[in-house]
Amino acid sequence: MSGIGSWRKPLPSVGIGLAALAVTAVALSGQASADEAVPEVSDGVVTNTAEGVAALPCIESTGVLSCFDKAGDKVLVKDTRGDGKSAVALWRTNYGRSGACRNKLGVGTWATCNYNMREEGYIQLQNARYDGDTGSWTYPNPRVYSIWLPIGS
């Protein structure tokens, strides 16, 4: 897969530091364009994550709260809007992997997708919503991206 949507944030050349909790945004359209690659979607499993999320780097947009837990290479996504669409945490690494963790469990729930990633790399998250009935993607406007987060310790 060549990419997820229109990624536009380069990997920084210096350390991440405390800025790992910062949220960045890029002003792009809210609907997916025809030239965007459709990400490989993994359906998350239900999880009781509310207690541990406060310590994780997360990004939030309309209907979606997504986080990365480097202990276990887990992407977590919460559906925060009862609109019939799934909350999705799109992700990509600096070494070429990408995917999408979909929460199709319903509003107010957390889903977790467990991936096996290289420990020396970085990951970036992007939020989206997915309509499984139509196959259409909706992105927040402006789009919301995390900074590059370290995968390993």
Side-chain angles (χ1 to χ4, degrees):
M1 178 170 45
S2 63
I4 298 174
S6 297
W7 292 94
R8 304 208 187 262
K9 298 279 185 209
L11 179 65
S13 59
V14 293
I16 303 278
L18 292 177
L21 299 178
V23 174
T24 58
V26 176
L28 297 172
S29 65
Q31 293 293 326
S33 65
D35 65 336
E36 291 183 291
V38 176
E40 180 179 327
V41 177
S42 302
D43 290 333
V45 295
V46 69
T47 184
N48 182 10
T49 313
E51 301 118 27
V53 171
L56 299 177
C58 299
I59 57 173
E60 186 169 13
S61 62
T62 302
V64 184
L65 176 61
S66 62
C67 308
F68 177 67
D69 185 355
K70 66 181 178 180
D73 301 337
K74 296 176 185 169
V75 175
L76 301 92
V77 61
K78 182 178 183 179
D79 188 333
T80 60
R81 186 174 193 180
D83 59 2
K85 296 179 182 178
S86 299
V88 180
L90 303 167
W91 59 270
R92 69 175 179 155
T93 67
N94 66 319
Y95 55 85
R97 282 189 66 191
S98 60
C101 180
R102 177 183 178 196
N103 180 344
K104 63 179 187 178
L105 303 169
V107 67
T109 63
W110 280 96
T112 300
C113 297
N114 193 358
Y115 301 101
N116 185 18
M117 299 178 185
R118 292 184 195 168
E119 296 304 310
E120 74 273 4
Y122 291 85
I123 188 170
Q124 184 178 48
L125 302 175
Q126 177 186 3
N127 287 345
R129 291 182 296 139
Y130 178 73
D131 186 330
D133 294 333
T134 65
S136 65
W137 290 87
T138 305
Y139 298 90
N141 188 11
R143 290 197 185 189
V144 176
Y145 300 87
S146 71
I147 61 169
W148 286 95
L149 303 165
I151 295 171
S153 359

